[in-house]
Amino acid sequence: MKYKRKRILFFVGQALFILGIVSFFFFARNVTTRENRAIVINPDNCYDQTIIMVADRDYDPYSFFDSQGKPSGYDIELMYAIANQMEVNIEIRLMNWTECKQAVLSGKADIISGLDYEKPTSENFILSMALHNDQYVCFGKENFSSIGELYSKKLATVEDSGSFSVFLEPYRLTENTRVYSTYTQVLESVISGENDYAISRYYVGRRILAKLKETKVRPVNTFIANNSTCFGLGEHRAELLPELDNAILSMREDGTLAALENKWLGSYVTMLTPQDFLRTYQNGILFGIAGFLILISGIVFYINREKIHAARMEQEDTARILEYQQLITEATKGLYESIYEFDVTHNRAVGEHTEHYFESFGIPGTTPFDQALQVIAKKQIRKEFIQGYLDTFMPENVLRAFRKGETSLGYDFMITQDGINYYWIHISARLFFWNADKSVRMILYRRNIDAEKKQEQRLLDAAQRDSMTGLYNKTAAESLAESLLEDCRHSGQARALVIIDIDDFKRINDTFGHAYGDSVIRIFAETIIANIRKTDIAGRIGGDEFLILFTDIPGRDWLEFKLRKLNQELSREVTADNQTRQFSASIGAVLIPQVGETYAEIFKKADLALYRTKEAGKNGHTIYAEGM
């Protein structure tokens, strides 16, 4: 920030001298270069480990060969600085973009620069945190007013570039787009008239056009897609990512990234020629007057910079406090159960209210946040939600999310106040940067969503039920049975799959009508429900066919007794619509895990047992045996 203020003052001061415009241009460039932080390059192999980085050879100002044939540019100098901080040697190779990607994906190189930052990551690259933003624009000789005009134009871009995923593919422009191996070739095709427009990052296109000394081709719109760039790692070097991200974050904090951006993405691109300057400031007199006023304002600003900075910090702090107060107000209205605040960077609670929350669990209020979080999770949160809770709110995970640009987090889970009864809550977290001590803070507030979750469960349960009988429908019953059978293979508990079929139902249904048949089905369903336990599964899987899965049974004798009782209960007279008929049921069963592997195999054996019952005269039951 200090450097930016000085640069503005230099520009404004020189604006008073209209006759020295050209000198001002070169002076501004010299100032930009002179005040950048020095980037130390260690060409010697002074460390034990060497990493290989590949970059586009035609990607000025990010990566290119300078006049001496050496790799140069923003990404190159940044990678040298990162290598110094990581204490590794860096070997940089420049090639065309497609070769760069292939080198990293094949394991011949470790890091690639210039990748578009996209989520989720594609092409098996592991992406670093974002470095800077360089928008995609159209370069051409004529302006256009809408993207719709591009469908009749010939476009050009570099093969495998991010312009496809962020612009060309979403707008279905790939069919009239030609690809080239370098950006120079892309822009040359527009200069020659071979293509109408080039799709390129703004900084890259401007630098290449300056090298080609081309004035007719220019950016013809503000932007068409905005996307950040980053480094990419091959999966074989995934372990480098935390150290790489930490180095980037450190350089963002100590000003190295800002210095490199000023050097390579400042006047190096925006003030390529005196014409750029003249185009920006066309009215000399007005420019001089405006420059004078800006100079005075700049001086006043510079003198009062600390007060202005303090006022800005106070404004940001006030906004945070107002947000906090709003949350408190909403909490008093019953929207939230409670609100807590944490200093994530320094791993501690903030404020007496949060400290008292720790103490309510027998934890001293000064306990580190990550330790307290684990104690709270163990004491209050239902077991299956603990890991997800910790993965969301542990300090290192919160900081990682904040570095990626996320400012809010959320998680649904079940908690208990008495150790017995659990209910659903939703925790929301707001992340922000606290200027006073340069820390990342988190306001955490929770809302009772038990009623909402129960309503969701009721709707889900209704969708799984057979409307006539209230039993599970075929899809739900088979899915639950398959899931429980999978558990059975791991737990070793004995279970049984049972199929029940109403004897001669079709004939009776055809004779006495469907209304009578529906009554019979409902009565059979009620009888089945009365003869199973809460842990068992029962469903209607056909017109007159039912399925039961008995869970955790003592053994074959218990199953034999249960099936005999079911036969007795289901053998009965049914009176409905003034019609009375005698009914019975045929049953087939299979013991698990003594037989069968998959649900399909087990069902087939139960069905075979049912067939044997029908062969034997119906109104009975058969338990499957090997060789049946």
Side-chain angles (χ1 to χ4, degrees), residues 3 31-42 76-78 80-82 84-85 251 254-260 263-264:
Y3 166 74
V31 169
T32 304
T33 303
R34 185 172 61 250
E35 291 199 2
N36 275 288
R37 292 170 54 88
I39 305 301
V40 180
I41 297 175
N42 288 335
I76 306 303
E77 288 198 0
L78 175 58
Y80 276 124
I82 290 174
N84 291 344
Q85 180 147 333
M251 291 178 188
D254 69 16
T256 301
L257 278 182
L260 285 173
K263 175 179 179 180
W264 290 105

Side-chain angles (χ1 to χ4, degrees), residues 1-11 31-32 35-37 252-256 258-259 262 298 301-303 305-306 309 312 438:
M1 183 63 72
K2 181 177 179 182
Y3 166 74
K4 289 183 178 179
R5 293 195 194 103
K6 288 184 177 181
R7 185 176 169 214
I8 290 171
L9 291 175
F10 275 123
F11 279 0
V31 169
T32 304
E35 291 199 2
N36 275 288
R37 292 170 54 88
R252 192 176 297 282
E253 292 174 350
D254 69 16
T256 301
N262 286 327
F301 175 83
Y302 187 77
I303 293 173
R305 64 191 184 283
E306 295 302 331
H309 179 70
R312 186 183 298 113
K438 308 300 181 187

Side-chain angles (χ1 to χ4, degrees), residues 116 136 157-158 161-170 183 199-200:
D116 288 77
Y136 283 101
T157 193
V158 169
S161 76
S163 61
F164 281 92
S165 59
V166 301
F167 176 65
L168 294 170
E169 290 174 353
Y183 274 106
I199 311 300
S200 168

Side-chain angles (χ1 to χ4, degrees), residues 5 32 49 74 104 197 357 361 446 511 537 549 615:
R5 293 195 194 103
T32 304
Q49 184 184 5
Y74 173 92
V104 173
Y197 294 105
Y357 176 62
F361 290 92
R446 66 190 194 184
T511 302
I537 300 296
L549 180 71
E615 272 190 333

Side-chain angles (χ1 to χ4, degrees), residues 577-598:
D577 293 339
N578 299 320
Q579 302 288 340
T580 301
R581 295 292 300 176
Q582 180 71 33
F583 284 89
S584 63
S586 296
I587 301 174
V590 58
L591 269 169
I592 312 161
Q594 286 86 342
V595 295
E597 291 294 333
T598 66

Side-chain angles (χ1 to χ4, degrees), residues 317-336:
D317 294 347
T318 301
R320 187 196 69 83
I321 292 169
L322 287 174
E323 180 183 19
Y324 190 82
Q325 290 174 343
Q326 181 182 0
L327 293 174
I328 294 293
T329 301
E330 292 177 344
T332 61
K333 293 178 181 178
L335 297 177
Y336 306 123

